[in-house]
Amino acid sequence: VQLQASGGGLVQAGGFLRLSCAASGRTPDSVGIGWFRQTPGKEREFVAAIIWSGGRTYYADSVKGRFTISRDNAKNTVWLQMSSLKPEDTAVYYCAARTVVPGTGEYEFKYWGQGTQVTVSS
């Protein structure tokens, strides 16, 4: 599975951006897509995730009410609509495919895209 993240850019505080994550396909163990972000010197941080079947969503507390994740199963595409952006949202945003770990019933983010830069100016 190859993931292509796009849509990043420079925006003023209070503005909005929409990120896209296009997956080349889905493997049998793929259950959804997650978005993460990372700034230099910091660990990668979970932002949001969505499940292909049923569309259940998950959000980090820091983005609840401002970010919305959605999907188009037919297009294998997930979007992250970001509004009311803050300077602290500045980061490289990555999408990743959430997969089932064989034999465990647990999940992991196995496949990763290349990242797209989001910069929010104050």
Side-chain angles (χ1 to χ4, degrees), residues 33-36 46-50 58-60 63 67-69 80 109:
I33 295 289
W35 284 97
F36 293 77
F46 170 77
V47 176
I50 191 166
Y58 305 84
Y59 295 96
V63 306
F67 291 11
T68 302
I69 190 170
L80 184 68
F109 288 93

Side-chain angles (χ1 to χ4, degrees), residues 55-112:
R56 184 172 182 176
T57 58
Y58 305 84
Y59 295 96
D61 288 342
S62 59
V63 306
K64 279 182 183 176
R66 300 188 299 122
F67 291 11
T68 302
I69 190 170
S70 60
R71 88 234 189 265
D72 184 326
N73 287 19
K75 295 181 179 179
N76 290 329
T77 300
V78 170
W79 295 275
L80 184 68
Q81 179 71 43
M82 307 185 295
S83 59
S84 300
L85 283 163
K86 305 175 181 179
E88 50 263 43
D89 294 318
T90 295
V92 176
Y93 283 70
Y94 299 88
C95 60
R98 189 185 191 201
T99 57
V100 177
V101 179
T104 68
E106 297 180 354
Y107 300 94
E108 64 178 345
F109 288 93
K110 186 174 180 180
Y111 307 102
W112 291 81

